[in-house]
Amino acid sequence: MNEKALDGVRILDFTHVQSGPTCTQLLAWMGADVIKVERPGEGDATRGQLRDIPGVDGLYFTMLNHNKRSVTINTKTPSGLAVLDRLIQSCDVLVENFAPGALDRMGITWERIQALNPRMIVASVKGFGPGPYEDCKVYENVAQCAGGAASTTGFDDGPPLVTGAQIGDSGTGLNLALGIVAALYQRTRSGRGQKVLAPMQDAVLNLCRVKLRDQQRLARTHTLHEYPQYPDGRFGEAVPRAGNASGGGQPGSILKCKGWETDPNAYIYFITQAAVWPAVCKVIGEPGWMDDEAYATPQARLLHLGPIFRRIEKWTMTKDKFEAMEILNQYDIPCGPILSMKEIAEEPALRATGTIVEVDHPTRGKYLSVGNPIKMSDSPTEVTRSPLLGEHTDEVLGQLGFSPDEVAAMRAEGAI
């Protein structure tokens, strides 16, 4: 097995639910030793949430905590605090996503951490950064709403919508992981730890940057030509919901394919890229559009996107989404099938690349999970199962220098 990118890095994982565990799991996949700290007898709340097998860790937990070790510590006991102090001294990074102020109330202040280990990096997920909402608790959909995603998602005649992609939780976790790796790199030169903060609102807004772009364009020109409201609709002061428009310079739309009447995912995303417009006209049987002044230029086509996509849809409805994709790719016409979770789970290519992995768990049995989305040639990822609650407590305490008798005394005290 090749050396891992983060071999030798030890992470003290105080995270729970999704945003923090996404971050620490990614670091674990890259080779870090992630020690997940959980409450004795309870553990991460997601162990028991959305269970499909009674008494077994839920998929919500298992799919976010691969490649980690679990220790149980009661930090309200003197022995538990002693263990925590030794963990802080021996780890490189502490990651947490508690509610604002919770870490300080536990006595784990930045000043205390610095006194114990001035090289430690403390990385935090919070709902909001400094400002009027910094003390508010935030969950996924709140972050999507506060970060600008919901107001710009959906159709103009409907309410704001959140997306099924967990851009608030998992998106923030990915940002925090990058911040941690950067702080570790800076420490090689400075010798010092630092605080790393990833607010969920900031992470969502970062993913919505094109909408912030459009807000400024709208303020200047009072219209957005590539949005479906143009040319006949009305624009207000804020970026509107754009349905399935691409949001960029290449108009696109989701179109029905054969079988759409019974299959909710029998659709394809179709982009009328300027460079392949002649090919589009040939494929759908409208060669006259190539020279028609109403359709000949990208600017002219913006006035007729509705009828253009309705005509293209007449063609896509004669093919299933995979047949349409095969034909369109022969002409380099940008397109993509709407894939269901069932289709994705059964796709062999995603299994081959490790994007979808099958994991064997001692109480759950085999299940599917996502793998590492980042592929590194010299640091291949091996996805191992999530830990049982407290599975590695004795092992980690032994590595920290506690004797078997001391560990037994801690267990009797309820500290572990």
Side-chain angles (χ1 to χ4, degrees):
M1 178 62 68
N2 290 343
E3 179 183 352
K4 302 289 186 180
L6 294 180
D7 275 349
V9 174
R10 181 173 283 180
I11 309 291
L12 182 54
D13 184 2
F14 266 101
T15 70
H16 57 285
V17 191
Q18 185 177 169
S19 59
T22 298
C23 167
T24 52
Q25 179 171 260
L26 188 61
L27 299 173
W29 281 339
M30 293 181 174
D33 177 16
V34 175
I35 302 172
K36 185 177 180 73
V37 177
E38 302 185 76
R39 288 181 294 180
E42 297 182 44
D44 190 317
T46 57
R47 286 186 183 271
Q49 288 181 353
L50 306 177
R51 275 186 170 141
D52 57 317
I53 304 175
V56 173
D57 287 340
L59 287 166
Y60 199 3
F61 177 85
T62 63
M63 293 176 68
L64 285 159
N65 291 282
H66 293 121
N67 296 62
K68 302 178 185 181
R69 298 195 286 171
S70 170
V71 301
T72 52
I73 303 175
N74 181 356
T75 58
K76 295 180 179 178
T77 65
S79 296
L81 284 173
V83 172
L84 180 57
D85 283 352
R86 204 169 294 187
L87 278 168
I88 290 172
Q89 290 170 332
S90 67
C91 289
D92 298 284
V93 186
L94 186 155
V95 189
E96 60 92 15
N97 63 330
F98 291 119
L103 205 62
D104 287 349
R105 291 192 294 273
M106 294 169 59
I108 312 174
T109 64
W110 170 247
E111 291 74 22
R112 178 175 176 79
I113 292 169
Q114 284 281 285
L116 290 167
N117 182 0
R119 289 175 55 83
M120 174 163 270
I121 293 155
V122 177
S124 303
V125 170
K126 292 291 175 278
F128 296 94
Y133 305 117
E134 62 183 304
D135 294 328
C136 297
K137 288 180 67 175
V138 170
Y139 291 91
E140 170 66 44
N141 288 355
V142 175
Q144 289 195 30
C145 293
S151 69
T152 56
T153 302
F155 289 88
D156 198 34
D157 57 354
L161 289 177
V162 296
T163 173
Q166 304 290 281
I167 59 177
D169 277 329
S170 288
T172 304
L174 295 173
N175 285 339
L176 189 66
L178 176 59
I180 289 168
V181 171
L184 286 168
Y185 180 74
Q186 186 173 3
R187 194 182 69 176
T188 63
R189 292 175 284 115
S190 70
R192 300 191 308 275
Q194 61 180 296
K195 291 188 282 187
V196 180
L197 173 65
M200 294 172 71
Q201 181 187 40
D202 298 31
V204 173
L205 176 58
N206 183 271
L207 295 173
C208 293
R209 69 183 67 188
V210 297
K211 299 301 182 179
L212 183 60
R213 172 203 68 192
D214 291 347
Q215 180 62 44
Q216 296 171 86
R217 294 171 56 228
L218 177 64
R220 182 167 288 113
T221 65
H222 310 294
T223 186
L224 296 168
H225 288 183
E226 71 283 0
Y227 276 58
Q229 290 80 2
Y230 178 83
D232 301 320
R234 175 183 172 275
F235 287 91
E237 294 183 345
V239 172
R241 291 183 274 287
N244 290 317
S246 68
Q250 308 295 339
S253 186
I254 290 179
L255 306 178
K256 297 172 183 174
C257 291
K258 182 188 291 185
W260 67 271
E261 300 92 340
T262 56
D263 181 355
N265 296 299
Y267 290 82
I268 192 169
Y269 199 89
F270 193 112
I271 297 176
T272 57
Q273 185 183 27
V276 295
W277 176 248
V280 172
C281 296
K282 292 176 183 177
V283 167
I284 67 172
E286 294 288 352
W289 279 6
M290 287 186 281
D291 299 317
D292 188 327
E293 64 179 19
Y295 302 103
T297 68
Q299 195 65 30
R301 290 195 290 275
L302 289 175
L303 294 168
H304 307 285
L305 289 181
I308 286 173
F309 280 118
R310 284 193 291 272
R311 176 62 186 88
I312 296 173
E313 190 172 58
K314 286 184 178 179
W315 178 83
T316 60
M317 289 171 66
T318 67
K319 317 289 180 187
D320 72 37
K321 59 190 177 185
F322 299 109
E323 291 172 337
M325 186 177 177
E326 184 176 356
I327 293 169
L328 295 171
N329 279 332
Q330 294 175 16
Y331 296 92
D332 292 327
I333 298 170
C335 62
I338 308 304
L339 295 179
S340 69
M341 277 296 141
K342 183 176 186 297
E343 290 169 322
I344 289 171
E346 296 172 351
E347 173 53 56
L350 295 177
R351 303 284 189 99
T353 60
T355 301
I356 296 277
V357 294
E358 186 176 72
V359 183
D360 202 358
H361 189 275
T363 58
R364 162 169 290 283
K366 292 183 178 180
Y367 67 95
L368 293 183
S369 185
V370 297
N372 192 346
I374 301 169
K375 321 298 185 189
M376 302 175 68
S377 63
D378 282 359
S379 185
T381 298
E382 178 188 1
V383 176
T384 61
R385 68 168 176 85
S386 61
L388 302 176
L389 180 60
E391 180 177 351
H392 304 94
T393 301
D394 289 11
E395 175 184 277
V396 171
L397 265 58
Q399 292 173 347
L400 293 174
F402 291 100
S403 69
D405 288 343
E406 288 175 309
V407 173
M410 289 180 200
R411 185 163 281 112
E413 182 190 342
I416 58 176

